Structure formats: structure tokens, C-alpha cells
Amino acid sequence: APLRLIGNPRNCEGARQERLACRTMRRMNPNQHFQHLLAAAAAEPEPQRLLFVFAGAELPDNATPEQEARFRSGRGGALGPLMCVDKAPRDLSDFKTLASEAERAGPPWGVVFAASLSGQGGRPPDKARIELALETMTAAVRDGRFDGFAAYGPEGEFLEIR
């Protein structure tokens, strides 16, 4: 499935406007966590679709001068969804494959959120379930609700966002 841009990323209403703290998990090399995600999805008894929402920093609509200064210095802002895609685990050999496609398809991004959607009865999820799941995931990212998603930086580093 091709990556799809999500509206105008500058107008994401309800975007989380508080400062986000990200840290890289250092126990694994940058691609190991993503490889574990691919392996876990492939090992599931039911066919899986991996869901990805790419996000970037944006200045909140009603930003204070202090928030604007932090944003311009690269330390603040809100994460807003930019584009999304679903993939079968077999369609991705590594993080670089996903990142390269995203680079070609859309605007620069800083974080990609990942989740998995299970099929039923030996069949992968249908397009309607995938679309609904991507819409729900995009809304969660827009609202700053990141629990339950794996998060990766542009080099494939696993991020813990709190």
C-alpha cells in the first residue's frame, strides 16, 4: 500500500501541546527492535498488517511566545500526524525499507508510530478494518495518546515517549 498524506499537518486540531520527552532506548542497536517487531508479527497465528503513522513537530495554533521560541530552537512543539501506511510483515525486510519509502512519499518526519492489526480465520484484516484502525491511530497521535504504539526515530532507533 502506498503512503498517504494526512490532510494539512499544520492544521491538526487537538494536537498535544505539552512538551514531549523522547529518549532512545540503548539496549539494542537501531534496527534490532524493528526486526523484533517484524518477527513477532510474522510469528502470530493469524495474518497481521503493520500500521504506521509518521509524525513531525509542529507549532501549536495558539502557541505562546515561549512555545514559539522553543519550537524555533528545535526543542518544542507538538507531534502531528503527516502520513500513514499499512504493510504486511513480509513486505518489509528492515527499517531502512520503510524509511526510504517514506522519504520518497512525503514530508520530512521525526517519529513513526507502529502497531499491528490481526486478521481472523486465516485471512488478513480487510481494507475497511485497516482504514478504521489507521484513522483511530492517526487520531490518537494527533491527540498525543501514544500508549500501545512502538515509536521509532528516522534511523530506526526505538523511542520511549513520555
Short mmCIF file of all heavy atoms in Angstrom, two decimals, residues 20-27 151-153 157-162:
data_model
loop_
_atom_site.label_atom_id
_atom_site.label_comp_id
_atom_site.label_asym_id
_atom_site.label_seq_id
_atom_site.Cartn_x
_atom_site.Cartn_y
_atom_site.Cartn_z
N LEU A 20 7.09 17.20 24.83
CA LEU A 20 7.26 15.76 24.82
C LEU A 20 8.71 15.42 25.14
O LEU A 20 9.62 16.08 24.68
CB LEU A 20 6.93 15.19 23.44
CG LEU A 20 5.49 15.38 23.00
CD1 LEU A 20 5.33 14.94 21.56
CD2 LEU A 20 4.57 14.59 23.88
N ALA A 21 8.89 14.42 25.92
CA ALA A 21 10.24 13.96 26.22
C ALA A 21 10.46 12.65 25.50
O ALA A 21 9.71 11.71 25.67
CB ALA A 21 10.41 13.77 27.72
N CYS A 22 11.47 12.59 24.68
CA CYS A 22 11.82 11.37 23.96
C CYS A 22 13.20 10.94 24.39
O CYS A 22 14.08 11.77 24.57
CB CYS A 22 11.86 11.60 22.45
SG CYS A 22 10.29 12.00 21.71
N ARG A 23 13.37 9.66 24.53
CA ARG A 23 14.73 9.17 24.75
C ARG A 23 14.89 7.88 23.96
O ARG A 23 13.95 7.13 23.76
CB ARG A 23 15.03 8.98 26.23
CG ARG A 23 14.26 7.91 26.89
CD ARG A 23 14.60 7.84 28.36
NE ARG A 23 13.70 6.88 28.92
CZ ARG A 23 14.01 6.02 29.86
NH1 ARG A 23 15.19 6.04 30.39
NH2 ARG A 23 13.14 5.16 30.29
N THR A 24 16.08 7.68 23.51
CA THR A 24 16.39 6.50 22.73
C THR A 24 16.71 5.36 23.68
O THR A 24 17.44 5.55 24.64
CB THR A 24 17.61 6.78 21.82
OG1 THR A 24 17.30 7.89 21.00
CG2 THR A 24 17.93 5.58 20.96
N MET A 25 16.16 4.21 23.41
CA MET A 25 16.49 3.03 24.19
C MET A 25 17.84 2.51 23.67
O MET A 25 17.99 2.32 22.48
CB MET A 25 15.42 1.95 24.02
CG MET A 25 14.04 2.42 24.47
SD MET A 25 13.98 2.89 26.19
CE MET A 25 13.96 1.30 26.94
N ARG A 26 18.78 2.31 24.52
CA ARG A 26 20.13 1.98 24.11
C ARG A 26 20.47 0.50 24.23
O ARG A 26 21.58 0.10 23.94
CB ARG A 26 21.12 2.80 24.92
CG ARG A 26 20.86 4.27 24.79
CD ARG A 26 22.13 5.06 24.83
NE ARG A 26 21.88 6.48 24.86
CZ ARG A 26 21.62 7.23 23.81
NH1 ARG A 26 21.54 6.69 22.63
NH2 ARG A 26 21.42 8.53 23.91
N ARG A 27 19.56 -0.33 24.64
CA ARG A 27 19.88 -1.75 24.83
C ARG A 27 20.04 -2.50 23.52
O ARG A 27 20.67 -3.53 23.47
CB ARG A 27 18.80 -2.42 25.67
CG ARG A 27 18.85 -1.99 27.12
CD ARG A 27 17.80 -2.74 27.86
NE ARG A 27 16.51 -2.14 27.58
CZ ARG A 27 15.71 -1.65 28.49
NH1 ARG A 27 16.02 -1.73 29.75
NH2 ARG A 27 14.57 -1.10 28.16
N ALA A 151 7.44 3.31 18.90
CA ALA A 151 7.85 4.56 18.25
C ALA A 151 9.31 4.45 17.84
O ALA A 151 10.15 3.95 18.60
CB ALA A 151 7.65 5.74 19.20
N TYR A 152 9.59 4.92 16.63
CA TYR A 152 10.94 4.86 16.08
C TYR A 152 11.34 6.21 15.52
O TYR A 152 10.53 6.91 14.91
CB TYR A 152 11.02 3.81 14.97
CG TYR A 152 10.65 2.43 15.42
CD1 TYR A 152 9.35 1.96 15.31
CD2 TYR A 152 11.61 1.59 16.01
CE1 TYR A 152 9.00 0.69 15.75
CE2 TYR A 152 11.27 0.33 16.45
CZ TYR A 152 9.96 -0.12 16.33
OH TYR A 152 9.62 -1.37 16.78
N GLY A 153 12.63 6.54 15.66
CA GLY A 153 13.19 7.73 15.05
C GLY A 153 13.57 7.45 13.61
O GLY A 153 13.49 6.31 13.14
N GLU A 157 15.89 3.96 15.46
CA GLU A 157 16.09 3.84 16.90
C GLU A 157 14.74 3.79 17.61
O GLU A 157 13.84 4.55 17.29
CB GLU A 157 16.97 4.98 17.44
CG GLU A 157 16.38 6.37 17.36
CD GLU A 157 16.52 7.09 16.02
OE1 GLU A 157 16.72 6.43 14.98
OE2 GLU A 157 16.39 8.33 16.01
N PHE A 158 14.60 2.86 18.55
CA PHE A 158 13.38 2.73 19.33
C PHE A 158 13.31 3.89 20.30
O PHE A 158 14.28 4.20 20.98
CB PHE A 158 13.36 1.39 20.06
CG PHE A 158 12.12 1.19 20.90
CD1 PHE A 158 10.92 0.90 20.28
CD2 PHE A 158 12.17 1.31 22.26
CE1 PHE A 158 9.77 0.71 21.05
CE2 PHE A 158 11.03 1.13 23.03
CZ PHE A 158 9.83 0.83 22.41
N LEU A 159 12.16 4.56 20.36
CA LEU A 159 11.98 5.72 21.24
C LEU A 159 10.97 5.40 22.32
O LEU A 159 9.96 4.75 22.06
CB LEU A 159 11.48 6.94 20.44
CG LEU A 159 12.33 7.38 19.26
CD1 LEU A 159 11.61 8.50 18.50
CD2 LEU A 159 13.71 7.83 19.71
N GLU A 160 11.24 5.88 23.50
CA GLU A 160 10.26 5.84 24.57
C GLU A 160 9.76 7.25 24.75
O GLU A 160 10.53 8.16 25.05
CB GLU A 160 10.91 5.34 25.86
CG GLU A 160 9.93 5.30 27.02
CD GLU A 160 10.58 4.83 28.31
OE1 GLU A 160 11.70 4.28 28.27
OE2 GLU A 160 9.96 5.03 29.34
N ILE A 161 8.49 7.47 24.46
CA ILE A 161 7.91 8.82 24.55
C ILE A 161 7.04 8.87 25.78
O ILE A 161 6.15 8.06 25.98
CB ILE A 161 7.09 9.15 23.29
CG1 ILE A 161 8.00 9.08 22.08
CG2 ILE A 161 6.44 10.52 23.42
CD1 ILE A 161 7.32 9.35 20.78
N ARG A 162 7.33 9.86 26.62
CA ARG A 162 6.54 10.01 27.85
C ARG A 162 6.08 11.43 28.00
O ARG A 162 6.47 12.31 27.34
CB ARG A 162 7.32 9.56 29.09
CG ARG A 162 8.77 9.67 28.98
CD ARG A 162 9.52 9.19 30.21
NE ARG A 162 10.88 9.58 29.97
CZ ARG A 162 11.49 10.57 30.61
NH1 ARG A 162 10.88 11.21 31.56
NH2 ARG A 162 12.72 10.89 30.31
#
